[in-house]
């Protein structure tokens, strides 16, 4: 996908990632630490993580198309390099969500889960979630710098 209704698709798709990845991360942490939240939200978290994994390569491909249209700069190159790493974070978040779903299924079948297993899963979820949110920020910041470093950025105080 390159354009949508005349706009670069990357500019539209990136907003899904910017919202979905951190939202999924926050909800995953809630599910990891709060069993009542896990009962209600685990499948939503898994679905959002799956959507994020599907949208990430679409967004990066659209971004690479856009990069070829506007020309290459060092800031834009740094942004695209960071953007290419997002799939790893999205997959890590999906794996964390899958672990939460497995924990939930085990709980619903009334099989006891050892505390060490629960805390290990919680640690994996927290690390994957925080890393994903930080990477979304880093990619977004580099994209903003690449976008606004032209004449508009120089006109700002």
């Amino acid at each position: 996908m390159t354009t949508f209704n005349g706009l670069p698709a990357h500019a539209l798709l990136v907003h899904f990632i910017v919202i979905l990845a951190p939202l999924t991360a926050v909800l995953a942490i809630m599910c990891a630490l709060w069993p009542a939240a896990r009962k209600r939200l685990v499948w939503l978290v898994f679905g959002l993580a799956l959507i994020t994994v599907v949208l990430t390569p679409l967004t990066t491909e659209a971004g690479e198309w856009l990069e070829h249209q506007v020309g290459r700069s060092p800031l834009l190159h740094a942004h695209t390099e960071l953007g290419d790493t997002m799939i790893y974070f999205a997959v890590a978040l999906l794996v964390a969500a899958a672990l939460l779903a497995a924990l939930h299924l085990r709980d619903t079948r009334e099989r006891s889960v050892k505390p060490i297993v629960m805390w290990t899963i919680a640690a994996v979820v927290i690390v994957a979630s925080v890393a994903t949110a930080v990477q979304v920020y880093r990619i977004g910041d580099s994209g903003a710098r690449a976008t606004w470093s032209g004449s508009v950025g120089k006109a700002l105080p």
Side-chain angles (χ1 to χ4, degrees):
M1 178 182 285
T2 56
T3 61
F4 180 80
N5 204 22
L7 294 172
H10 180 72
L12 300 171
L13 290 170
V14 76
H15 288 88
F16 286 109
I17 301 298
V18 167
I19 297 298
L20 288 179
L23 174 65
T24 305
V26 168
L27 292 175
I29 291 171
M30 283 177 52
C31 288
L33 299 177
W34 188 17
R38 186 170 52 245
K39 282 182 182 178
R40 290 176 177 82
L41 300 174
V42 70
W43 297 114
L44 174 65
V45 169
F46 186 78
L48 292 174
L50 187 60
I51 292 168
T52 301
V53 166
V54 170
L55 288 177
T56 296
L58 295 174
T59 305
T60 55
E61 287 176 24
E64 289 185 14
W65 174 84
L66 183 58
E67 178 187 20
H68 289 73
Q69 304 305 307
V70 299
R72 190 164 225 177
S73 72
L75 289 174
L76 186 56
H77 180 68
H79 172 63
T80 57
E81 290 296 313
L82 276 174
D84 286 340
T85 66
M86 185 60 203
I87 190 65
Y88 302 115
F89 293 88
V91 168
L93 193 58
L94 180 61
V95 168
L99 288 171
L100 287 171
L103 184 62
H104 172 70
L105 289 174
R106 189 145 178 110
D107 283 347
T108 58
R109 293 183 180 142
E110 296 181 16
R111 294 183 182 157
S112 65
V113 178
K114 294 182 180 183
I116 189 72
V117 173
M118 271 199 283
W119 288 112
T120 302
I121 290 173
V124 168
V125 169
I126 291 167
V127 168
S129 296
V130 170
T132 300
V134 168
Q135 191 66 356
V136 167
Y137 171 81
R138 291 179 66 220
I139 295 166
D141 182 62
S142 70
R145 289 180 191 278
T147 301
W148 296 103
S149 65
S151 60
V152 174
K154 290 178 184 172
L156 296 175

